Amino acid sequence: MSSPAAAPPAPAPNNLKRIVAASLIGTTIEWYDFFLYGSAAALVFNELFFPDSDPLVGTLLSFLTYAVGFAARPVGALVFGHYGDRLGRKKLLVLSLLMMGGATFAIGLLPTHATVGTAAPVLLTVLRLVQGFALGGEWGGAVLLVSEHGDARRRGFWASWPQTGAPAGQLLATGVLSLLTAVLSDAAFNSWGWRIPFLLSGVLVMVGLWIRLSVDESPVFKQALAQAESRKAKAEPLPLVAVMRYHWRDVLIAMGARMAENISYYVITAFILVYATSASDVSKQTALNAVLIASAVHFAVIPAWGALSDRIGRRPVYLLGAAGVGLWMFPFFMLIDSGRFGSLLLAVTVGLVLHGAMYAPQAAFFSEMFATRMRYSGASIGAQFASVAAGAPAPLIATALLSEYDSSTPISLYVIASAVLTLFAVGVARETRHRDLAEVDPVPVPGDGDGDGDGGEGEGEGGSGSVSDSRAQRARTV
């Protein structure tokens, strides 16, 4: 039996802030690239790449290429997770940033259907696959780098900062598009203006790369790697195999937890550009402005929700967000149907604030479920496999429901059903607040009588404390 390993030293406050900044800037750039595509798919790609289709059918085809990116995310999660658990978080994060930025920059150079015919949507789809593959590896590494550097007492707060990269990226992408649509005519924007935000990604990637290269590898990972090296005589299972053996329950919980979070987000921020402009006669500029302002509020509330999860637990905050989003859907569409900017802004802002209650604790919650040498794989698999069933088809399903029923009611019921699924998944999960990441150990020790591989969730009554004394004494980090 291996002796207990010394806990990794806590990072200095300034070092932790630099790590948070590096993760935040990187995720902001990656989400900017990803969301920029979603907004462009709703606004112009139907005309530029699918011009022979009916407008609504063209939008559906455009969103189909949008969904392709989600299909590549689980593959990215598997590949980046495997090597991230073997080689470290930092190396893979640099690679994901380069891949995402390169694909987005290339989209800005693509010829349209009018120039090269059917080759245009094919090339667009290929680049979208590269985007999805890169993002599938980005999220897990970014949140783990912060989670594994911070202490358990404030992990929810610090780990929520990389999560603000999503609204920050949405804010940046929507802001650039909103500015361009305000100063350019529709003809100019459709002709060449839409390319500017994609080409801007090249500059952003250089900035993000410079900052991301300056941070250190996670001390928790270094400690786990050293322990693995010391017992090389014993073959170490592949991270994916270990996750499926010891953490299958946690993977299912993470997937269920993501359903309402993922579906509601893309309905609120992407589908709204279709619904508000087609069903409620709201101008493109008005819809973009509402998402822009609401994204700024979303950015501000995520750290607050993360801090609250440190005080009362991950589960209560997450459950509040899931229930809130489900209850908000009918008022959400009623406000949009009024056609007034103030009502539209209220609908999107409240929706994103409630979404933040799920998204903020998610980083710490998922990180605390998995052992160190399979944490990148476990968190990424749980998060990204869910995106295929949740975020990927959400705009497609919502657009198809609108086309079929000419009503928002089926769309509301669709989001409510996802909220019920998330409430169940999080409801059966165990609380992970204050868990010591260096001591999460799913490997059963002979004689314990606990061979069910529940993912190291031996937290005791209510699960709100730290890892049990016997597990801490073993400290057999995988």
Side-chain angles (χ1 to χ4, degrees):
M1 185 178 297
S2 60
S3 60
N14 289 338
N15 187 43
L16 179 57
K17 290 177 182 177
R18 187 173 72 250
I19 292 163
V20 170
S23 293
L24 171 57
I25 291 173
T27 53
T28 297
I29 294 169
E30 298 238 15
W31 282 114
Y32 165 81
D33 293 344
F34 206 76
F35 288 140
L36 179 61
Y37 189 103
S39 297
L43 296 173
V44 296
F45 280 178
N46 58 333
E47 299 175 14
L48 297 174
F49 293 93
F50 307 98
D52 299 330
S53 304
D54 172 83
L56 195 56
V57 174
T59 301
L60 279 168
L61 291 172
S62 184
F63 274 140
L64 185 60
T65 63
Y66 176 69
V68 163
F70 285 85
R73 283 164 69 171
V75 182
L78 290 173
V79 174
F80 279 82
H82 172 83
Y83 288 103
D85 282 328
R86 287 297 177 92
L87 305 177
R89 295 31 172 145
K90 177 180 172 179
K91 296 181 181 69
L92 275 298
L93 286 174
V94 169
L95 179 60
S96 71
L97 187 62
L98 288 172
M99 291 183 66
M100 174 66 86
T104 305
F105 186 82
I107 289 174
L109 300 175
L110 273 183
T112 64
H113 188 280
T115 305
V116 297
T118 55
V122 172
L123 292 171
L124 182 68
T125 302
V126 170
L127 291 174
R128 182 59 176 171
L129 283 168
V130 176
Q131 279 191 325
F133 181 81
L135 190 61
E138 163 69 22
W139 181 84
V143 300
L144 293 189
L145 197 63
V146 176
S147 295
E148 292 179 344
H149 271 90
D151 65 288
R153 188 174 59 87
R154 302 193 68 196
R155 185 180 298 126
F157 171 73
W158 290 115
S160 70
W161 279 101
Q163 299 291 77
T164 64
Q170 179 76 66
L171 187 65
L172 188 58
T174 306
V176 172
L177 285 172
S178 182
L179 177 62
L180 290 172
T181 57
V183 300
L184 297 176
S185 65
D186 286 345
F189 182 79
N190 290 348
S191 176
W192 55 269
W194 67 272
R195 297 181 183 275
I196 295 175
F198 289 92
L199 297 176
L200 179 62
S201 177
V203 178
L204 297 176
V205 166
M206 292 300 102
V207 175
L209 190 61
W210 174 68
I211 295 174
R212 186 160 277 185
L213 285 170
S214 68
V215 302
D216 297 325
E217 183 56 80
S218 153
V220 173
F221 175 79
K222 288 180 179 179
Q223 178 188 13
L225 184 61
Q227 290 179 334
E229 291 290 336
S230 69
R231 55 174 190 262
K232 274 296 185 183
K234 182 179 179 181
E236 191 176 37
L238 294 175
L240 174 61
V241 174
V243 166
M244 293 297 102
R245 181 180 179 185
Y246 300 117
H247 282 295
W248 60 268
R249 180 177 182 271
D250 297 307
V251 169
L252 292 177
I253 288 173
M255 291 176 66
R258 285 219 75 193
M259 297 305 289
E261 177 268 307
N262 221 215
I263 289 173
S264 66
Y265 188 80
Y266 289 104
V267 168
I268 293 169
T269 60
F271 173 71
I272 189 179
L273 298 178
V274 175
Y275 184 83
T277 55
S278 63
S280 300
D281 295 324
V282 174
S283 71
K284 183 186 300 182
Q285 183 65 44
T286 300
L288 282 170
N289 288 342
V291 174
L292 182 67
I293 297 171
S295 294
V297 177
H298 193 209
F299 178 91
V301 300
I302 285 178
W305 285 122
L308 183 62
S309 77
D310 286 326
R311 295 180 63 86
I312 67 174
R314 319 297 183 214
R315 292 174 66 251
V317 177
Y318 212 116
L319 291 169
L320 173 64
V325 162
L327 294 173
W328 184 243
M329 275 302 103
F330 280 110
F332 174 80
F333 285 107
M334 289 174 60
L335 288 167
I336 297 174
D337 289 338
S338 71
R340 296 189 298 269
F341 175 73
S343 298
L344 177 63
L345 179 60
L346 178 64
V348 181
T349 301
V350 173
L352 288 182
V353 168
L354 292 170
H355 171 271
M358 293 182 283
Y359 201 55
Q362 188 180 97
F365 189 33
F366 289 8
S367 299
E368 291 160 347
M369 289 181 181
F370 301 95
T372 303
R373 289 285 281 166
M374 59 189 80
R375 185 170 292 132
Y376 202 144
S377 295
S380 296
I381 291 169
Q384 303 307 334
F385 272 69
S387 70
V388 176
L396 276 168
I397 291 173
T399 304
L401 289 173
L402 178 63
S403 177
E404 178 69 22
Y405 297 100
D406 194 26
S407 169
S408 63
T409 298
I411 304 167
S412 298
L413 294 175
Y414 166 52
V415 178
I416 290 170
S418 71
V420 171
L421 181 56
T422 292
L423 287 170
F424 174 78
V426 179
V428 300
R430 298 180 184 179
E431 181 58 62
T432 61
R433 181 171 59 114
H434 296 327
R435 179 172 287 179
D436 187 339
L437 295 184
E439 294 176 349
V440 180
D441 179 12
V443 180
V445 174
D448 277 358
D450 180 17
D452 59 2
D454 257 359
E457 294 183 41
E459 301 298 299
E461 187 69 29
S464 60
S466 60
V467 179
S468 63
D469 290 341
S470 61
R471 192 174 295 263
Q473 290 169 3
R474 293 196 301 270
R476 298 178 56 218
T477 306
V478 174

Short mmCIF file of all heavy atoms in Angstrom, two decimals, residues 371-421:
data_model
loop_
_atom_site.label_atom_id
_atom_site.label_comp_id
_atom_site.label_asym_id
_atom_site.label_seq_id
_atom_site.Cartn_x
_atom_site.Cartn_y
_atom_site.Cartn_z
N ALA A 371 -11.25 11.40 -10.18
CA ALA A 371 -9.88 11.31 -9.70
C ALA A 371 -8.93 12.00 -10.67
O ALA A 371 -9.21 12.12 -11.86
CB ALA A 371 -9.47 9.84 -9.51
N THR A 372 -7.77 12.43 -10.18
CA THR A 372 -6.88 13.31 -10.94
C THR A 372 -6.44 12.73 -12.27
O THR A 372 -6.47 13.41 -13.29
CB THR A 372 -5.64 13.66 -10.09
OG1 THR A 372 -6.07 14.26 -8.87
CG2 THR A 372 -4.75 14.63 -10.83
N ARG A 373 -6.01 11.47 -12.28
CA ARG A 373 -5.44 10.88 -13.50
C ARG A 373 -6.50 10.46 -14.51
O ARG A 373 -6.19 9.90 -15.56
CB ARG A 373 -4.56 9.70 -13.14
CG ARG A 373 -3.27 10.09 -12.46
CD ARG A 373 -2.27 10.68 -13.43
NE ARG A 373 -1.59 9.65 -14.20
CZ ARG A 373 -0.88 9.88 -15.29
NH1 ARG A 373 -0.79 11.08 -15.77
NH2 ARG A 373 -0.28 8.89 -15.91
N MET A 374 -7.77 10.74 -14.20
CA MET A 374 -8.84 10.52 -15.17
C MET A 374 -9.83 11.68 -15.16
O MET A 374 -10.91 11.59 -15.72
CB MET A 374 -9.55 9.19 -14.90
CG MET A 374 -10.16 9.07 -13.52
SD MET A 374 -10.75 7.40 -13.14
CE MET A 374 -9.24 6.58 -12.70
N ARG A 375 -9.44 12.78 -14.52
CA ARG A 375 -10.35 13.93 -14.35
C ARG A 375 -10.61 14.66 -15.66
O ARG A 375 -11.75 15.05 -15.95
CB ARG A 375 -9.77 14.89 -13.30
CG ARG A 375 -10.69 16.06 -12.97
CD ARG A 375 -10.18 16.82 -11.76
NE ARG A 375 -10.30 16.00 -10.56
CZ ARG A 375 -9.32 15.84 -9.67
NH1 ARG A 375 -8.15 16.44 -9.84
NH2 ARG A 375 -9.51 15.08 -8.62
N TYR A 376 -9.57 14.87 -16.46
CA TYR A 376 -9.73 15.55 -17.75
C TYR A 376 -10.68 14.74 -18.63
O TYR A 376 -11.62 15.27 -19.24
CB TYR A 376 -8.36 15.71 -18.42
CG TYR A 376 -8.25 16.80 -19.47
CD1 TYR A 376 -7.08 17.52 -19.61
CD2 TYR A 376 -9.30 17.09 -20.34
CE1 TYR A 376 -6.94 18.52 -20.58
CE2 TYR A 376 -9.18 18.08 -21.30
CZ TYR A 376 -7.99 18.79 -21.42
OH TYR A 376 -7.86 19.76 -22.37
N SER A 377 -10.46 13.42 -18.68
CA SER A 377 -11.30 12.55 -19.49
C SER A 377 -12.73 12.52 -18.96
O SER A 377 -13.70 12.68 -19.71
CB SER A 377 -10.74 11.13 -19.52
OG SER A 377 -9.48 11.10 -20.17
N GLY A 378 -12.88 12.32 -17.64
CA GLY A 378 -14.21 12.19 -17.07
C GLY A 378 -15.05 13.44 -17.22
O GLY A 378 -16.20 13.38 -17.66
N ALA A 379 -14.48 14.59 -16.85
CA ALA A 379 -15.23 15.84 -16.95
C ALA A 379 -15.56 16.18 -18.40
O ALA A 379 -16.67 16.61 -18.72
CB ALA A 379 -14.42 16.98 -16.31
N SER A 380 -14.61 15.95 -19.30
CA SER A 380 -14.83 16.27 -20.71
C SER A 380 -15.86 15.34 -21.34
O SER A 380 -16.73 15.78 -22.10
CB SER A 380 -13.52 16.19 -21.48
OG SER A 380 -12.59 17.15 -21.03
N ILE A 381 -15.77 14.05 -21.04
CA ILE A 381 -16.73 13.10 -21.61
C ILE A 381 -18.14 13.41 -21.12
O ILE A 381 -19.09 13.46 -21.91
CB ILE A 381 -16.33 11.65 -21.24
CG1 ILE A 381 -15.05 11.26 -21.98
CG2 ILE A 381 -17.45 10.67 -21.58
CD1 ILE A 381 -14.43 9.97 -21.49
N GLY A 382 -18.29 13.61 -19.82
CA GLY A 382 -19.61 13.91 -19.29
C GLY A 382 -20.20 15.17 -19.89
O GLY A 382 -21.39 15.23 -20.23
N ALA A 383 -19.37 16.21 -20.04
CA ALA A 383 -19.85 17.48 -20.56
C ALA A 383 -20.11 17.44 -22.05
O ALA A 383 -21.15 17.91 -22.53
CB ALA A 383 -18.84 18.59 -20.23
N GLN A 384 -19.19 16.88 -22.83
CA GLN A 384 -19.28 16.98 -24.28
C GLN A 384 -20.19 15.94 -24.91
O GLN A 384 -20.81 16.22 -25.94
CB GLN A 384 -17.88 16.91 -24.89
CG GLN A 384 -16.91 17.96 -24.38
CD GLN A 384 -17.46 19.38 -24.49
OE1 GLN A 384 -18.29 19.68 -25.33
NE2 GLN A 384 -16.97 20.26 -23.62
N PHE A 385 -20.28 14.76 -24.34
CA PHE A 385 -21.23 13.79 -24.89
C PHE A 385 -22.66 14.28 -24.70
O PHE A 385 -23.52 14.03 -25.55
CB PHE A 385 -21.03 12.41 -24.24
CG PHE A 385 -20.02 11.56 -24.94
CD1 PHE A 385 -18.66 11.89 -24.90
CD2 PHE A 385 -20.39 10.45 -25.65
CE1 PHE A 385 -17.72 11.12 -25.55
CE2 PHE A 385 -19.45 9.67 -26.31
CZ PHE A 385 -18.10 10.00 -26.26
N ALA A 386 -22.91 14.98 -23.61
CA ALA A 386 -24.24 15.54 -23.40
C ALA A 386 -24.56 16.61 -24.43
O ALA A 386 -25.72 16.78 -24.83
CB ALA A 386 -24.35 16.12 -21.99
N SER A 387 -23.55 17.34 -24.89
CA SER A 387 -23.79 18.42 -25.84
C SER A 387 -24.34 17.91 -27.17
O SER A 387 -25.03 18.64 -27.89
CB SER A 387 -22.51 19.22 -26.07
OG SER A 387 -21.56 18.46 -26.79
N VAL A 388 -24.04 16.65 -27.52
CA VAL A 388 -24.55 16.08 -28.76
C VAL A 388 -26.07 15.94 -28.70
O VAL A 388 -26.78 16.19 -29.68
CB VAL A 388 -23.89 14.72 -29.04
CG1 VAL A 388 -24.49 14.07 -30.28
CG2 VAL A 388 -22.39 14.89 -29.22
N ALA A 389 -26.57 15.54 -27.54
CA ALA A 389 -28.02 15.36 -27.38
C ALA A 389 -28.72 16.64 -26.94
O ALA A 389 -29.93 16.76 -27.07
CB ALA A 389 -28.29 14.26 -26.36
N ALA A 390 -27.95 17.60 -26.42
CA ALA A 390 -28.57 18.81 -25.86
C ALA A 390 -28.34 20.02 -26.76
O ALA A 390 -29.22 20.42 -27.53
CB ALA A 390 -28.01 19.06 -24.46
N GLY A 391 -27.19 20.63 -26.69
CA GLY A 391 -26.94 21.87 -27.41
C GLY A 391 -26.94 21.73 -28.91
O GLY A 391 -27.40 22.62 -29.64
N ALA A 392 -26.42 20.61 -29.43
CA ALA A 392 -26.32 20.44 -30.88
C ALA A 392 -27.66 20.54 -31.58
O ALA A 392 -27.82 21.34 -32.51
CB ALA A 392 -25.64 19.12 -31.20
N PRO A 393 -28.65 19.76 -31.18
CA PRO A 393 -29.92 19.82 -31.90
C PRO A 393 -30.88 20.88 -31.40
O PRO A 393 -31.95 21.05 -31.99
CB PRO A 393 -30.51 18.42 -31.66
CG PRO A 393 -30.01 18.05 -30.30
CD PRO A 393 -28.65 18.67 -30.17
N ALA A 394 -30.53 21.60 -30.34
CA ALA A 394 -31.49 22.54 -29.74
C ALA A 394 -32.00 23.58 -30.74
O ALA A 394 -33.23 23.74 -30.89
CB ALA A 394 -30.89 23.20 -28.51
N PRO A 395 -31.14 24.33 -31.45
CA PRO A 395 -31.67 25.28 -32.43
C PRO A 395 -32.42 24.59 -33.56
O PRO A 395 -33.42 25.11 -34.07
CB PRO A 395 -30.43 26.00 -32.95
CG PRO A 395 -29.37 25.78 -31.91
CD PRO A 395 -29.67 24.43 -31.35
N LEU A 396 -31.95 23.40 -33.97
CA LEU A 396 -32.62 22.65 -35.03
C LEU A 396 -34.02 22.23 -34.59
O LEU A 396 -34.99 22.41 -35.32
CB LEU A 396 -31.80 21.41 -35.38
CG LEU A 396 -30.64 21.58 -36.37
CD1 LEU A 396 -29.77 20.33 -36.36
CD2 LEU A 396 -31.15 21.86 -37.76
N ILE A 397 -34.10 21.65 -33.40
CA ILE A 397 -35.40 21.18 -32.89
C ILE A 397 -36.35 22.36 -32.70
O ILE A 397 -37.53 22.30 -33.07
CB ILE A 397 -35.21 20.40 -31.58
CG1 ILE A 397 -34.50 19.07 -31.86
CG2 ILE A 397 -36.55 20.15 -30.89
CD1 ILE A 397 -34.12 18.30 -30.62
N ALA A 398 -35.85 23.44 -32.12
CA ALA A 398 -36.69 24.61 -31.89
C ALA A 398 -37.19 25.21 -33.20
O ALA A 398 -38.37 25.57 -33.33
CB ALA A 398 -35.92 25.66 -31.09
N THR A 399 -36.31 25.29 -34.20
CA THR A 399 -36.71 25.82 -35.51
C THR A 399 -37.72 24.90 -36.18
O THR A 399 -38.70 25.37 -36.79
CB THR A 399 -35.48 26.01 -36.42
OG1 THR A 399 -34.53 26.86 -35.76
CG2 THR A 399 -35.86 26.63 -37.74
N ALA A 400 -37.51 23.58 -36.09
CA ALA A 400 -38.44 22.63 -36.69
C ALA A 400 -39.80 22.69 -36.00
O ALA A 400 -40.85 22.62 -36.67
CB ALA A 400 -37.86 21.22 -36.60
N LEU A 401 -39.82 22.81 -34.69
CA LEU A 401 -41.08 22.93 -33.95
C LEU A 401 -41.83 24.20 -34.34
O LEU A 401 -43.06 24.19 -34.49
CB LEU A 401 -40.81 22.90 -32.44
CG LEU A 401 -40.36 21.56 -31.86
CD1 LEU A 401 -39.96 21.72 -30.39
CD2 LEU A 401 -41.46 20.52 -31.99
N LEU A 402 -41.09 25.28 -34.49
CA LEU A 402 -41.72 26.53 -34.91
C LEU A 402 -42.29 26.40 -36.31
O LEU A 402 -43.41 26.88 -36.59
CB LEU A 402 -40.69 27.66 -34.86
CG LEU A 402 -41.18 29.05 -35.30
CD1 LEU A 402 -42.28 29.55 -34.37
CD2 LEU A 402 -40.03 30.04 -35.35
N SER A 403 -41.56 25.76 -37.20
CA SER A 403 -42.03 25.57 -38.58
C SER A 403 -43.26 24.67 -38.63
O SER A 403 -44.19 24.92 -39.41
CB SER A 403 -40.91 24.97 -39.43
OG SER A 403 -41.33 24.71 -40.74
N GLU A 404 -43.29 23.64 -37.80
CA GLU A 404 -44.39 22.67 -37.83
C GLU A 404 -45.65 23.20 -37.16
O GLU A 404 -46.77 23.02 -37.67
CB GLU A 404 -43.93 21.38 -37.15
CG GLU A 404 -45.00 20.30 -37.05
CD GLU A 404 -45.36 19.71 -38.40
OE1 GLU A 404 -44.54 19.81 -39.34
OE2 GLU A 404 -46.46 19.14 -38.53
N TYR A 405 -45.50 23.85 -36.00
CA TYR A 405 -46.67 24.23 -35.21
C TYR A 405 -46.96 25.74 -35.21
O TYR A 405 -48.01 26.16 -34.73
CB TYR A 405 -46.49 23.77 -33.75
CG TYR A 405 -46.41 22.27 -33.62
CD1 TYR A 405 -45.18 21.62 -33.48
CD2 TYR A 405 -47.55 21.48 -33.66
CE1 TYR A 405 -45.09 20.25 -33.37
CE2 TYR A 405 -47.47 20.10 -33.54
CZ TYR A 405 -46.24 19.50 -33.40
OH TYR A 405 -46.18 18.13 -33.29
N ASP A 406 -46.01 26.52 -35.72
CA ASP A 406 -46.17 27.98 -35.75
C ASP A 406 -46.55 28.52 -34.36
O ASP A 406 -47.40 29.40 -34.23
CB ASP A 406 -47.23 28.38 -36.78
CG ASP A 406 -47.19 29.87 -37.11
OD1 ASP A 406 -46.11 30.47 -36.96
OD2 ASP A 406 -48.24 30.43 -37.48
N SER A 407 -45.91 27.97 -33.34
CA SER A 407 -46.20 28.34 -31.96
C SER A 407 -44.97 28.10 -31.10
O SER A 407 -44.16 27.20 -31.39
CB SER A 407 -47.38 27.52 -31.43
OG SER A 407 -47.52 27.67 -30.03
N SER A 408 -44.85 28.87 -30.03
CA SER A 408 -43.72 28.70 -29.11
C SER A 408 -44.01 27.65 -28.03
O SER A 408 -43.09 27.24 -27.32
CB SER A 408 -43.38 30.03 -28.45
OG SER A 408 -44.47 30.48 -27.65
N THR A 409 -45.25 27.21 -27.91
CA THR A 409 -45.61 26.28 -26.84
C THR A 409 -44.81 24.97 -26.89
O THR A 409 -44.26 24.54 -25.86
CB THR A 409 -47.12 25.97 -26.88
OG1 THR A 409 -47.85 27.18 -26.66
CG2 THR A 409 -47.50 24.96 -25.79
N PRO A 410 -44.69 24.31 -28.06
CA PRO A 410 -43.88 23.08 -28.08
C PRO A 410 -42.42 23.33 -27.71
O PRO A 410 -41.78 22.46 -27.12
CB PRO A 410 -44.00 22.61 -29.54
CG PRO A 410 -45.23 23.26 -30.07
CD PRO A 410 -45.31 24.58 -29.38
N ILE A 411 -41.90 24.51 -28.04
CA ILE A 411 -40.51 24.82 -27.71
C ILE A 411 -40.36 24.97 -26.20
O ILE A 411 -39.38 24.49 -25.61
CB ILE A 411 -40.07 26.11 -28.43
CG1 ILE A 411 -40.29 25.96 -29.94
CG2 ILE A 411 -38.60 26.41 -28.14
CD1 ILE A 411 -40.18 27.25 -30.71
N SER A 412 -41.33 25.62 -25.57
CA SER A 412 -41.31 25.75 -24.10
C SER A 412 -41.35 24.38 -23.44
O SER A 412 -40.61 24.12 -22.48
CB SER A 412 -42.50 26.59 -23.63
OG SER A 412 -42.44 27.91 -24.14
N LEU A 413 -42.21 23.50 -23.93
CA LEU A 413 -42.32 22.16 -23.35
C LEU A 413 -41.02 21.37 -23.54
O LEU A 413 -40.64 20.58 -22.68
CB LEU A 413 -43.49 21.42 -24.00
CG LEU A 413 -44.88 22.00 -23.70
CD1 LEU A 413 -45.95 21.25 -24.50
CD2 LEU A 413 -45.19 21.93 -22.20
N TYR A 414 -40.37 21.59 -24.65
CA TYR A 414 -39.08 20.94 -24.93
C TYR A 414 -38.04 21.34 -23.88
O TYR A 414 -37.33 20.48 -23.32
CB TYR A 414 -38.64 21.34 -26.34
CG TYR A 414 -37.22 21.06 -26.72
CD1 TYR A 414 -36.66 19.79 -26.57
CD2 TYR A 414 -36.43 22.07 -27.27
CE1 TYR A 414 -35.34 19.54 -26.96
CE2 TYR A 414 -35.12 21.83 -27.66
CZ TYR A 414 -34.58 20.57 -27.49
OH TYR A 414 -33.29 20.32 -27.87
N VAL A 415 -37.95 22.62 -23.57
CA VAL A 415 -36.98 23.09 -22.57
C VAL A 415 -37.39 22.60 -21.18
O VAL A 415 -36.54 22.21 -20.37
CB VAL A 415 -36.86 24.63 -22.60
CG1 VAL A 415 -35.88 25.10 -21.53
CG2 VAL A 415 -36.39 25.10 -23.98
N ILE A 416 -38.67 22.62 -20.89
CA ILE A 416 -39.15 22.16 -19.57
C ILE A 416 -38.81 20.68 -19.37
O ILE A 416 -38.40 20.27 -18.27
CB ILE A 416 -40.67 22.39 -19.45
CG1 ILE A 416 -40.97 23.89 -19.35
CG2 ILE A 416 -41.24 21.65 -18.25
CD1 ILE A 416 -42.44 24.24 -19.46
N ALA A 417 -38.95 19.86 -20.42
CA ALA A 417 -38.61 18.44 -20.30
C ALA A 417 -37.12 18.27 -19.98
O ALA A 417 -36.74 17.41 -19.16
CB ALA A 417 -38.95 17.72 -21.61
N SER A 418 -36.28 19.08 -20.58
CA SER A 418 -34.85 19.01 -20.28
C SER A 418 -34.57 19.42 -18.84
O SER A 418 -33.68 18.87 -18.19
CB SER A 418 -34.05 19.88 -21.25
OG SER A 418 -34.24 21.25 -21.00
N ALA A 419 -35.33 20.39 -18.33
CA ALA A 419 -35.15 20.84 -16.95
C ALA A 419 -35.51 19.73 -15.96
O ALA A 419 -34.84 19.54 -14.95
CB ALA A 419 -36.00 22.08 -16.69
N VAL A 420 -36.56 18.99 -16.27
CA VAL A 420 -36.96 17.87 -15.41
C VAL A 420 -35.86 16.81 -15.36
O VAL A 420 -35.54 16.27 -14.29
CB VAL A 420 -38.29 17.25 -15.92
CG1 VAL A 420 -38.60 15.96 -15.16
CG2 VAL A 420 -39.43 18.25 -15.76
N LEU A 421 -35.26 16.53 -16.52
CA LEU A 421 -34.17 15.55 -16.56
C LEU A 421 -32.98 16.01 -15.73
O LEU A 421 -32.37 15.23 -14.99
CB LEU A 421 -33.75 15.32 -18.01
CG LEU A 421 -32.64 14.31 -18.27
CD1 LEU A 421 -32.99 12.94 -17.69
CD2 LEU A 421 -32.36 14.18 -19.76
#
